[in-house]
Amino acid sequence: MIAEDDEKQAELVRRYLLREGHTVTLVTDGRAAVEAVRHRAPDLLVLDVMMPRIDGLDVLRILRAEAYELPVLMLTARSTEDDLLLGLDLGADDYMTKPYSPRELMARVRTLLRRTGARAGGPGGGTAPPADEGLLTVGALVVDPERHEVTVDGGGIECTPGEFRILAAMAAEPGRVFTRQRLLQELHGYTRYIGDRTVDVHIMNLRKKVESEPKRPQRLLTVFGVGYKLVAPVAVAGHGDRAS
């Protein structure tokens, strides 16, 4: 689904998506985007920030509040880091600033669909990743790649696709220190034009969900000067790494 009020931009993206074999729905304002996601359950949303009626950031707020997990690639003429981080903080999976290369946009679309298993957009719906991955357990935190679910102390938590990819990668190798660059590769498959703070925002949001005290993390630890690692809380005692 494309949500873009600029007719030329929308038509350009539509043609490239059609060329790659996708079925495309086009809407031209934010309110129509929300309603279309609710009724059509797309696999991915290409979402412009500046749109009439409801802007793209508010569209994203509404969809994430309603637990729609579809990947969202945002397009914007704004290029400041604060704007980028705000979009990621609200649950965007990727962000491109205008003008952009249509070929790079298609590459990012392919990456998002591949890394989310082309999950459908409805709450709890969609095609799951391969079933042979099994449960990933780190103490009382359990990641289920097949069902795209995360539980902590027996309670379910909602993760954006980007947050889920980071958590699943770290849960597959508990105790391993992941650099920011490595986590960026898990998120996007490439690092061009994307800063390290993208990972920091995802980690901050994940801590709010998996930690009882996000400012004093017990699971998702910082290894200063290197990156992050995921451990069971019982493994923290006596460990030399500092957390933040």
Side-chain angles (χ1 to χ4, degrees):
M1 179 174 294
I2 304 167
E4 167 66 82
D5 66 321
D6 184 309
E7 292 184 7
K8 291 183 178 179
Q9 291 282 336
E11 180 60 19
L12 178 65
V13 177
R14 188 185 75 87
R15 288 182 180 180
Y16 270 84
L17 287 168
L18 289 173
R19 187 181 301 173
E20 296 209 357
H22 298 291
T23 300
V24 182
T25 300
L26 177 63
V27 295
T28 57
D29 69 74
R31 186 170 299 172
V34 172
E35 291 303 316
V37 169
R38 288 169 176 166
H39 290 95
R40 301 184 69 91
D43 293 313
L44 181 141
L45 174 61
V46 178
L47 177 63
D48 185 38
V49 171
M50 302 299 292
M51 287 193 299
R53 304 182 78 182
I54 304 175
D55 71 22
L57 294 175
D58 283 334
V59 169
L60 190 56
R61 286 188 182 96
I62 293 168
L63 295 179
R64 294 309 190 214
E66 295 181 4
Y68 285 90
E69 296 181 354
L70 80 166
V72 176
L73 193 163
M74 299 201 78
L75 304 176
T76 180
R78 302 170 179 173
S79 59
T80 68
E81 186 177 48
D82 287 344
D83 289 328
L84 185 151
L85 294 175
L86 176 58
L88 294 172
D89 192 41
L90 291 173
D93 296 278
D94 204 350
Y95 212 106
M96 294 190 70
T97 56
K98 300 177 181 179
Y100 53 82
S101 160
R103 291 179 62 187
E104 183 179 354
L105 176 64
M106 293 304 104
R108 296 195 185 196
V109 166
R110 287 193 297 270
T111 297
L112 285 173
L113 290 175
R114 182 170 63 250
R115 291 178 177 271
T116 57
R119 292 175 55 80
T127 302
D132 59 0
E133 293 187 34
L135 296 179
L136 305 172
T137 303
V138 185
L141 185 149
V142 180
V143 179
D144 186 340
E146 180 181 355
R147 294 179 175 82
H148 205 269
E149 294 175 350
V150 178
T151 59
V152 178
D153 297 320
I157 64 170
E158 294 290 338
C159 291
T160 68
E163 292 166 0
F164 185 87
R165 289 195 294 278
I166 285 179
L167 201 57
M170 299 181 78
E173 299 183 72
R176 172 186 171 180
V177 180
F178 285 78
T179 65
R180 288 176 175 83
Q181 289 299 309
R182 181 69 182 87
L183 291 174
L184 280 171
Q185 290 173 6
E186 292 294 334
L187 279 169
H188 302 288
Y190 48 81
T191 59
R192 190 183 181 195
Y193 306 133
I194 304 174
D196 289 350
R197 285 192 63 192
T198 300
V199 170
D200 296 336
V201 170
H202 283 301
I203 294 292
M204 179 182 67
N205 290 336
L206 279 169
R207 282 176 173 164
K208 293 175 183 178
K209 299 175 181 183
V210 306
E211 302 281 4
S212 56
E213 296 182 62
K215 293 184 178 181
R216 300 180 61 186
Q218 299 284 296
R219 291 187 170 92
L220 197 46
L221 306 183
T222 298
V223 180
F224 285 94
V226 185
Y228 300 100
K229 67 179 180 179
L230 182 68
V231 300
V234 293
V236 175
H239 205 286
D241 294 322
R242 295 169 56 201
S244 71

